[in-house]
Amino acid sequence: MLKLALFDCDGTLADSQYAIVAGMRAAFVACALPAPADVAIRNVIGLSLPCVIATLSPDADDTLQRALVDAYRDAYFTQRTIAGATPEPLFDGIIDMLDMLSAQGWQLGVATGKSGRGLLRLLDAHGILNRFVTLQTADHHPSKPDPAMAVAAMTQASVRPCNCVVIGDTSYDMMMARGAGAHALGVAWGYQSPDALSAAGAQAIIETPAAIPAALAHLVGSSA
């Protein structure tokens, strides 16, 4: 039986909030706008960048929103590529958890609001790029919670929805999973509250990466 563990990136695999918040604040400053509160930025991590900008600057016209998108990309790329810059850290236990899932026969994938360039850079910097059989990014799909990324990942991995579990830290991940007919597993170490995950359709919420293999086995086993 083919089965797929489909991970969100920011807030699930990697602790990217500091880089994202700094880049977003720099973008607003570059466009002569007051920077949003950090908590407001964290609450929209997981959406694709244009949706993030639209949410944080609802009164800005299309031209200004496009300028903010470009300014964020420039700021984020600059801070991640300056001499001596380190990649966003993985959460503790992520690599051991990926090893365990692979040993148990799970295919691994990522569905993220990041750009393809950003995702590849991050995974390669941590030496885990080759572990994933499918990488779905904001470059080619509508933003979460649209199910398109999950559907494309399942198609590429030849996995039925009942054998796919989406693992993420936001309501957008949970809604994407349910919209695609997949299982939805919330993680409590990310950027949205367990209550928000449950309200969006999470079937279970776990506290540590080490708990993922057992949770996935339960969810897929319960649907067999």
Side-chain angles (χ1 to χ4, degrees), residues 155-169:
T155 299
Q156 187 171 5
S158 300
V159 169
R160 296 183 299 161
C162 63
N163 295 326
C164 175
V165 183
V166 173
I167 305 103
D169 70 303

Side-chain angles (χ1 to χ4, degrees), residues 189-215:
W189 56 83
Y191 308 144
Q192 290 190 12
S193 70
D195 286 346
L197 299 179
S198 295
Q203 294 162 270
I205 299 171
I206 54 169
E207 298 291 333
T208 66
I212 289 178

Side-chain angles (χ1 to χ4, degrees), residues 13-142:
L13 295 176
D15 190 2
S16 311
Q17 65 171 310
Y18 305 104
I20 293 171
V21 168
M24 196 59 66
R25 291 178 65 85
F28 273 73
V29 170
C31 293
L33 293 173
D38 291 0
V39 65
I41 299 171
R42 286 194 294 270
N43 282 339
V44 292
I45 292 175
L47 295 175
S48 298
L49 180 56
C51 292
V52 167
I53 295 298
T55 302
L56 295 175
S57 59
D59 297 328
D61 61 23
D62 290 346
T63 299
L64 182 52
Q65 289 193 1
R66 286 194 296 270
L68 284 164
V69 167
D70 291 341
Y72 173 81
R73 286 175 173 153
D74 290 344
Y76 191 86
F77 181 75
T78 297
Q79 69 172 316
R80 304 320 306 162
T81 56
I82 58 175
T86 58
E88 304 95 308
L90 301 179
F91 288 102
D92 290 343
I94 290 296
I95 290 181
D96 289 343
M97 175 271 297
L98 295 176
D99 287 341
M100 184 175 295
L101 289 180
S102 294
Q104 294 174 353
W106 285 88
Q107 298 183 90
L108 307 177
V110 177
T112 177
K114 293 178 87 67
S115 68
R117 179 178 69 173
L119 179 63
L120 292 174
R121 179 196 53 75
L122 174 61
L123 298 180
D124 186 57
H126 288 288
I128 59 174
L129 177 59
N130 63 355
R131 297 172 186 246
F132 298 96
V133 301
T134 181
L135 300 174
Q136 305 299 327
T137 69
D139 302 284
H140 306 296
H141 297 288

